[in-house]
Amino acid sequence: MKSLTRRIIALGAAAAAAISLAGCAVTTGNPTGGGGGATEDKDEYRVAYIARAQADSFAAWLANEMKAEAGNYDDLTLEVFDGQADDEIENKMIENAIANKFDAIIIQANNADAQLPYIQQAIDAGIVTITTNPRVEGLTGGNSVDADPYKQGAVVAQLALEEIPENANVVVLNGPAGNFHSTARREAWEAEFFEKRPDVKIVAEDIANWNKDEAMTLMEDWSLANPDVDAIISMNDNMASGALEAVKGKGGFDGILAYGVDGTPEAVLLIEAGTMTATSLQNARELAQLNLKAVHDLLTGAEDEVNVDIGNPLITKDNVQEYIDLYKEAGLLDK
């Protein structure tokens, strides 16, 4: 347990530093500077990446991988901006990126509904625009690089069909309301698990906004009211780990099952330790590679439109070492 704790502490430091690579300045202010139109043939293109929130471990990993991948393109300069999980801040950053004539904007929406009109402004201004993690639906034009959140939830839910005991009590943790990934993952659990397991009872369900601390607070209250919870069903790993932390060492919760999505470094360590049950991987490195390829192809005219998805492999105790090795290679876990 001490070894796991040290590794998770190291992970926290890695996540905090995930966007502090050489040459990677993350801005909490507004995108500024000059630049030409997105369709202009030029020697160098300026790309704004507006990230959801760097306090989110997955978002931090994705920003890190975006900056690293941009280094493979001599004609791209990527500037990363932190939306701080605040719709108003993120919307203002999109507006300023438009006003300051970035050649392209990649947007990781905090709330798709809130960001949609601002993203549409970028498209209408003729700027190459990509939405990622999540894809934003309802736009006229635009491009996207994402995972399929229904499949991400489904692959874990299908495993849970066989693992969660009969007549189990479960709790459910959801991401932000209006978020494409949160909604689709929950729909997958409904169709692939709850409709097939009417014996299972949801004793508590709430929104924890992808946030570990919010999930911990909810689970602390739920565990007092429901001391016989058999499984935690979470729409991401951050919330699952928070809920597990809330019941750590509490009598009656030994062996509780816990399911997430994202395959974060912390989650794979928890799976290795036998604390968390399963997750599905949302590979930030693959997302970054596809985003930078897409933006380069669109800016140079190699493609007119790009809408692609990454895969969603299931991670369990049986194959977790493969993903621990992946994170070690990425520098997000100690070797």
Side-chain angles (χ1 to χ4, degrees), residues 230-254:
D230 299 291
I232 297 161
I233 293 171
S234 176
M235 301 309 117
N236 85 338
D237 292 337
N238 263 2
M239 297 185 296
S241 66
L244 284 168
E245 187 67 27
V247 297
K248 182 179 178 181
K250 283 191 176 182
F253 291 92
D254 290 342

Side-chain angles (χ1 to χ4, degrees), residues 138-161:
L139 296 166
T140 302
N143 308 275
S144 63
V145 177
D146 202 8
D148 184 327
Y150 185 94
K151 291 180 180 178
Q152 289 177 320
V155 70
V156 185
Q158 289 158 4
L159 176 68
L161 271 177

Side-chain angles (χ1 to χ4, degrees), residues 11 23 29 50 52 65 78 81-82 106 113 138-139 153 169 182 184 190 203 237 240 266 268-269 298 301:
L11 163 65
I50 301 173
R52 178 176 65 243
E65 295 291 351
L78 183 74
F81 302 91
D82 182 1
I106 303 172
D113 291 340
L139 296 166
N169 292 327
S182 176
E190 190 65 32
V203 296
D237 292 337
E266 182 178 17
V268 300
L269 292 183
L298 291 162

Side-chain angles (χ1 to χ4, degrees), residues 76-218:
L76 294 182
T77 298
L78 183 74
E79 298 181 42
V80 181
F81 302 91
D82 182 1
Q84 302 174 58
D86 185 306
D87 289 339
E88 185 175 346
I89 290 173
E90 188 155 352
N91 293 341
K92 190 66 176 177
M93 286 180 168
I94 297 169
E95 286 186 317
N96 283 325
I98 296 168
N100 289 292
K101 299 181 180 178
F102 275 80
D103 300 297
I105 309 172
I106 303 172
I107 300 160
Q108 183 189 32
N110 181 59
N111 178 334
D113 291 340
Q115 269 80 73
L116 188 149
Y118 296 88
I119 298 168
Q120 190 64 58
Q121 286 179 34
I123 296 168
D124 293 345
I127 296 171
V128 167
T129 305
I130 299 173
T131 60
T132 192
N133 187 239
R135 169 180 291 116
V136 175
E137 305 285 359
L139 296 166
T140 302
N143 308 275
S144 63
V145 177
D146 202 8
D148 184 327
Y150 185 94
K151 291 180 180 178
Q152 289 177 320
V155 70
V156 185
Q158 289 158 4
L159 176 68
L161 271 177
E162 309 301 324
E163 293 185 334
I164 292 181
E166 189 176 359
N167 299 317
N169 292 327
V170 304
V171 296
V172 179
L173 291 158
N174 294 312
N179 182 283
F180 174 53
H181 276 231
S182 176
T183 301
R185 292 173 187 178
R186 183 61 181 85
E187 288 172 351
W189 271 96
E190 190 65 32
E192 305 292 340
F193 180 81
F194 289 112
E195 289 180 7
K196 298 175 182 179
R197 291 289 306 273
D199 59 295
V200 173
K201 181 180 180 182
I202 299 174
V203 296
E205 180 169 4
D206 209 339
I207 291 170
N209 294 304
W210 304 135
N211 187 277
K212 183 175 182 176
D213 290 339
E214 290 186 38
M216 188 183 305
T217 299
L218 287 171

